[in-house]
Structures are given as structure tokens and as C-alpha cells.
Amino acid sequence: MDARLLVEHIPSLRRYARALTGNAWAADDLVQDTLERACGKWRLWVVGTDLRAWLFTVMHNLFASQVRRRPPPHAVVPLEDVAPEQLQGGADPGLGLGLDLQRCLMLLPEEQRAVLLLVTLEDLSYAEVAKVLGIPIGTVMSRLSRARLRLQELMDGATASSRPGLRRLK
């Protein structure tokens, strides 16, 4: 096994893990577990196939196993039931959309968040995402569509609730 092949994929693995977990420490642990599993199961990778997709598959399977072992931290709730402090930047109104986006991403269901991040953040094709997640391409497109709509709803709610001086007139 040539470790250099793995090293070039570490930044994208870290980026995806951070977006999946929402926590830098948990993301680093997930990347380390992924690399450890990849090194231990190296013989399962078929030379000539996409190593990046294989590593993302390993990471996704590890993350899914971790999620199954513990109750999900975020339940999906209707937008109307989300507390304003969950959407706002907190006490500092100047935190900007970056934190709102991350907060809203973490409110998405895990399966929608995974598809959205693989397509948008990691620039994988629908076929590659389907292979990584082990689901049909149609399911990828459906989850991506639902994730985009839900994220837009959450972001609209976050930006509207962070502008205290504005209100809707009938």
C-alpha cells in the first residue's frame, strides 16, 4: 500500500467529515477511523477504480454505524416549530450567514445532508454519490432536491429572524 495515495485525499475527507458531524473533533476522529479502516481493508480496493469514491464510501459507512449506535442529535421538525434562537446568530447579530448555513445544514436529516454535501461540497456526480451511499441515482436526485428545498426554507427563516427591524405587512 502506498500511503501517498491516501494523503492526497485527506483534505476532502476532512471537509466532508466536518460537514457531516458539525464538530471539528468528531470530524478528525471520523477521518482517522476512515484512514485506519482503509489501511486495514486496503485489499478490498480494486486498483484502477476511484480511490476517492471508495474512501468516501468507507467514511459514510463508518458515520452511519456511529449514528445507528446513538440517538440522532437533531430531529426533523417543521420550520414553524424551530426556535428562533436555533436559526439566529445568537447574541452577536454580526455572525453572518456562515454560521446560519452550518446551523441550518445540521437541521437537515442525515441522509439529505450527506447527498447535498457530496454533490455540492465534494463535487461528486450523481452516479458517484449513488455508489458511495449505496442507493439508486433516483434516490440521490430526490434527496438532493428535498435537501435544497429544506435548506432554502431554513435559510429564509434564519435570515428573516435575524433582521429584527423588519416585519411582514399584509
Side-chain angles (χ1 to χ4, degrees):
M1 175 183 74
D2 187 0
R4 289 178 294 189
L5 293 173
L6 290 177
V7 171
E8 68 186 51
H9 295 291
I10 290 175
S12 59
L13 289 171
R14 289 189 77 216
R15 202 172 35 246
Y16 181 54
R18 178 73 187 265
L20 268 180
T21 63
N23 178 303
W25 295 101
D28 287 342
D29 287 345
L30 182 58
V31 170
Q32 182 176 345
D33 291 345
T34 299
L35 294 173
E36 182 180 332
R37 175 76 54 91
C39 289
K41 304 285 185 177
W42 189 255
R43 67 190 177 282
L44 297 177
W45 176 61
V46 178
V47 177
T49 61
D50 188 2
L51 177 61
R52 181 176 180 222
W54 184 74
L55 289 170
F56 277 109
T57 301
V58 170
M59 178 178 280
H60 174 76
N61 291 340
L62 282 170
F63 181 71
S65 295
Q66 291 172 358
V67 168
R68 276 193 298 271
R69 280 189 233 126
R70 65 180 173 4
H74 303 287
V76 177
V77 295
L79 185 59
E80 304 81 43
D81 296 341
V82 176
E85 58 271 8
Q86 287 180 291
L87 296 174
Q88 287 181 329
D92 183 5
L95 288 176
L97 286 178
L99 288 178
D100 285 341
L101 177 61
Q102 182 167 353
R103 199 171 290 114
C104 292
L105 274 172
M106 296 311 293
L107 290 172
L108 290 176
E110 187 273 324
E111 64 274 357
Q112 290 178 12
R113 187 171 65 241
V115 169
L116 180 69
L117 293 172
L118 286 171
V119 170
T120 59
L121 186 65
E122 296 305 327
D123 202 28
L124 295 179
S125 70
Y126 292 175
E128 290 171 321
V129 173
K131 183 177 178 184
V132 166
L133 300 179
I135 57 176
I137 291 177
T139 303
V140 169
M141 294 187 302
S142 173
R143 287 181 184 177
L144 181 61
S145 175
R146 284 183 276 138
R148 286 176 173 159
L149 288 173
R150 178 74 174 150
L151 186 61
Q152 184 64 53
E153 289 173 357
L154 290 168
M155 288 299 295
D156 287 347
T159 55
S161 65
S162 64
R163 290 179 270 165
L166 300 178
R167 60 190 168 128
R168 176 173 270 175
L169 298 174
K170 293 184 179 185

